[in-house]
Amino acid sequence: MEEDLAKLAEHLNLNKRQVDREIMRSITQVLRAASTLIAREVAKNTFVKVQIIKNRIKIFDREKSLAKKLSMLTFAVPAIIAGNYTVTKTGVRVNRKNIRGAFITTVDGKKHIFKRKGHARYPIEKIRVSVAEKAEHAFIGIESEIEEKFVKALERNLKIAGGLIKIGK
């Protein structure tokens, strides 16, 4: 791939600085698309909405490698923001999942879903949805697709920088 990249850069009369800039631009574009793909895959396996998961995926622009640029900020999502909720006779239903024995209460002005740990009034625990393991599986599943998209994006960005493709007017 490096030989092809060097030939294309030479053909387009691009210097090393321009090529490096286009590589970083391509990586960022591909990782934005990857974050959407990961969020969609995790949303299929959990009852959390895509946008909530996508907001918890961070792209680090300063890192040089693809693997270090993308990471999950938080691995557990509070169930109350996971989606639409309904109080039922047996507990709370959030999107498609029924949580038996759960109840909704307000803490510090925000609603949360809690569940009692025993039969007593206290202690109670906040219900959270863990998405870390599912996000790792989703990232591994789309790794080859990310590499293919990176090659296509890099070729396109180099051609734009070299003037072969015009954007806009």
Side-chain angles (χ1 to χ4, degrees):
M1 182 175 151
E2 290 182 21
E3 296 169 1
D4 296 335
L5 183 63
K7 287 179 186 177
L8 186 60
E10 186 179 313
H11 175 70
L12 296 173
N13 296 326
L14 297 174
N15 61 27
K16 181 162 176 34
R17 185 173 178 223
Q18 289 173 317
V19 171
D20 288 343
R21 186 174 59 223
E22 297 307 321
I23 288 172
M24 293 306 291
R25 183 175 291 147
S26 299
I27 289 173
T28 303
Q29 288 172 352
V30 168
L31 288 178
R32 282 189 188 133
S35 68
T36 303
L37 290 173
I38 290 170
R40 285 180 187 161
E41 190 66 31
V42 171
K44 283 181 192 174
N45 299 328
T46 62
F47 59 91
V48 182
K49 291 182 178 178
V50 173
Q51 191 60 42
I52 293 168
I53 296 169
K54 194 171 178 193
N55 289 343
R56 283 167 168 69
I57 297 175
K58 176 75 175 152
I59 299 172
F60 295 100
D61 292 332
R62 300 287 180 229
E63 297 291 334
K64 297 291 183 191
S65 69
L66 276 170
K68 289 183 182 176
K69 284 175 99 33
L70 191 70
S71 73
M72 293 286 288
L73 285 181
T74 51
F75 298 105
V77 179
I80 195 78
I81 67 166
N84 300 328
Y85 61 89
T86 306
V87 178
T88 63
K89 289 181 183 178
T90 59
V92 177
R93 187 175 68 233
V94 181
N95 285 347
R96 297 171 297 233
K97 185 171 181 174
N98 195 17
I99 305 168
R100 289 189 63 123
F103 58 93
I104 297 174
T105 189
T106 305
V107 177
D108 297 329
K110 296 180 181 178
K111 289 184 177 183
H112 296 284
I113 298 177
F114 288 95
K115 189 173 183 181
R116 300 193 195 288
K117 286 187 176 179
H119 293 288
R121 183 174 180 184
Y122 291 106
I124 57 176
E125 64 178 337
K126 188 188 291 188
I127 303 295
R128 295 182 163 272
V129 179
S130 179
V131 296
E133 197 173 296
K134 293 177 174 108
E136 285 179 28
H137 290 298
F139 186 73
I140 291 169
I142 64 168
E143 219 167 355
S144 61
E145 192 176 333
I146 290 173
E147 291 173 6
E148 291 172 11
K149 284 187 177 194
F150 172 70
V151 171
K152 288 179 184 177
L154 181 59
E155 286 177 4
R156 183 176 184 279
N157 286 339
L158 286 173
K159 288 178 181 176
I160 290 170
L164 290 179
I165 299 175
K166 300 287 184 192
I167 295 179
K169 294 182 180 180

